[in-house]
């Protein structure tokens, strides 16, 4: 039985770890290839795109995939729609592993934006020294904000276009609360910009911003395909796959 995980997230790697030694199961993880040195999960790994929904459909058929797991980043919206179309066309069961979004608590000063472009329009009214944690791929949206200073944190170095007044911090989560407190203090940050990625790895910045009384500009998630079953954790996804395999005559992982 062949399971394909569309991954690149912490949850996808954890799911691969849970499934790796399952008897009778062939596991392939697919990474988009946007990070130069990704953390590879166990099992077979392919890197690169499929060529849209049609290419993914062909791959599912050619490699006899029995179950497709969409464990991509919440903001990798296009691949989720491609996965839904490909799974329906190839008649392959699809499960989405999607971490819950963050929820503000008492003391948070959050401001919503529907896109990076909207965030760039709202930002000048909220602060002048910006901790920008939306990833290197979306910096073009902020490139025209010459009056603001940006601390940009990303795994790989960003390319132009990007803000003119910018300091780059190359780092990869998980991050600690003490580290985030010190970062905000040392760089005199007065506003934080983030995508609603969810998860614990990068959440400490939200606590640090709340403690410091800083506004946080939160970019909402893009829409996801309807009608796809969703679980919120790798263990739940592993149980779903185990039950499905058990129904096909394969042992469920304990």
């Amino acid at each position: 039985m062949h399971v394909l995980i569309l991954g690149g997230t912490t949850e996808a790697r954890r799911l691969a770890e849970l499934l790796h030694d399952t008897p009778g199961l062939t596991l392939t993880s697919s990474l988009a290839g946007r990070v130069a040195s990704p953390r590879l999960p166990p099992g077979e790994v392919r890197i690169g795109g499929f060529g849209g929904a049609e290419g993914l459909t062909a791959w599912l058929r050619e490699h006899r995939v029995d179950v497709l797991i969409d464990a991509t980043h919440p903001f990798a919206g296009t691949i989720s729609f491609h996965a839904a179309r490909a799974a329906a066309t190839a008649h392959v069961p699809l499960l989405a592993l999607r971490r819950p979004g963050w929820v503000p608590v008492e003391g948070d000063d959050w401001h919503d934006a529907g896109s990076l472009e909207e965030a760039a329009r709202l930002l000048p009214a909220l602060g002048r020294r910006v901790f920008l944690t939306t990833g290197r791929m979306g910096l073009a949206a902020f490139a025209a904000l010459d009056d603001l200073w940006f601390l940009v944190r990303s795994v790989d170095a960003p390319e132009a276009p990007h803000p003119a007044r910018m300091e780059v911090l190359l780092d990869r989560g998980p991050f600690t609360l003490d580290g985030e407190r010190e970062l905000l203090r040392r760089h005199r940050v007065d506003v934080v910009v983030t995508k609603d990625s969810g998860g614990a790895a990068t959440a400490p910045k939200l606590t640090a911003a709340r403690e410091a009384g800083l506004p946080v500009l939160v970019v909402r998630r893009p829409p996801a395909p309807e009608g796809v079953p969703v679980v919120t954790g790798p263990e739940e996804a592993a149980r779903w796959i185990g039950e499905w395999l058990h129904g096909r005559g394969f042992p469920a992982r304990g």
Side-chain angles (χ1 to χ4, degrees):
M1 196 62 61
H2 190 181
V3 175
L4 173 63
I5 301 175
L6 304 178
T9 60
T10 301
E11 293 78 12
R13 288 192 299 275
R14 176 57 181 157
L15 177 58
E17 292 169 357
L18 292 172
L19 297 177
H20 179 51
D21 294 326
T22 303
L25 187 147
T26 299
L27 179 65
T28 303
S29 295
S30 178
L31 310 182
R34 293 183 176 178
V35 177
S37 299
R39 293 173 175 169
L40 298 180
E44 192 72 23
V45 177
R46 71 174 299 278
I47 297 179
F50 290 93
E54 293 76 13
L56 179 54
T57 301
W59 203 95
L60 295 176
R61 288 171 170 165
E62 178 184 354
H63 295 270
R64 298 180 180 273
V65 172
D66 298 286
V67 176
L68 177 61
I69 307 296
D70 175 14
T72 55
H73 192 276
F75 281 81
T78 299
I79 184 60
S80 293
F81 282 93
H82 288 173
R85 286 176 52 196
T89 302
H91 304 290
V92 172
L94 170 64
L95 178 71
L97 171 53
R98 194 167 296 127
R99 69 183 76 149
W102 291 316
V103 178
V105 301
E106 184 177 356
D108 281 327
D109 181 15
W110 286 15
H111 303 259
D112 285 345
S115 65
L116 291 174
E117 289 73 21
E118 183 180 359
R121 291 193 296 270
L122 297 173
L123 187 53
L126 296 174
R128 314 302 293 177
R129 296 183 64 83
V130 185
F131 182 27
L132 186 60
T133 65
T134 56
R136 65 187 178 91
M137 305 300 291
L139 293 184
F142 303 90
L145 299 178
D146 294 337
D147 293 338
L148 306 186
W149 178 88
F150 290 85
L151 175 64
V152 174
R153 182 164 67 192
S154 65
V155 176
D156 294 321
E159 299 178 356
H162 53 66
R165 302 175 61 205
M166 178 182 76
E167 180 175 334
V168 177
L169 176 62
L170 298 181
D171 204 353
R172 189 198 306 254
F175 303 106
T176 67
L177 179 55
D178 285 342
E180 300 294 65
R181 287 168 175 156
E182 173 59 19
L183 185 148
L184 296 181
R185 184 200 63 79
R186 184 171 70 252
H187 294 279
R188 296 180 288 114
V189 169
D190 59 16
V191 60
V192 177
V193 183
T194 183
K195 294 177 178 177
D196 181 16
S197 299
T202 60
K205 66 188 171 189
L206 303 175
T207 302
R210 179 172 63 249
E211 292 177 349
L214 303 183
V216 179
L217 190 50
V218 181
V219 181
R220 295 190 299 272
R221 295 181 175 188
E226 297 181 357
V228 176
V230 178
V231 295
T232 59
E235 290 76 14
E236 189 179 357
R239 286 194 298 271
W240 185 90
I241 295 170
E243 291 169 1
W244 194 88
L245 293 176
H246 185 67
R248 293 289 295 269
F250 284 80
R253 185 175 177 86

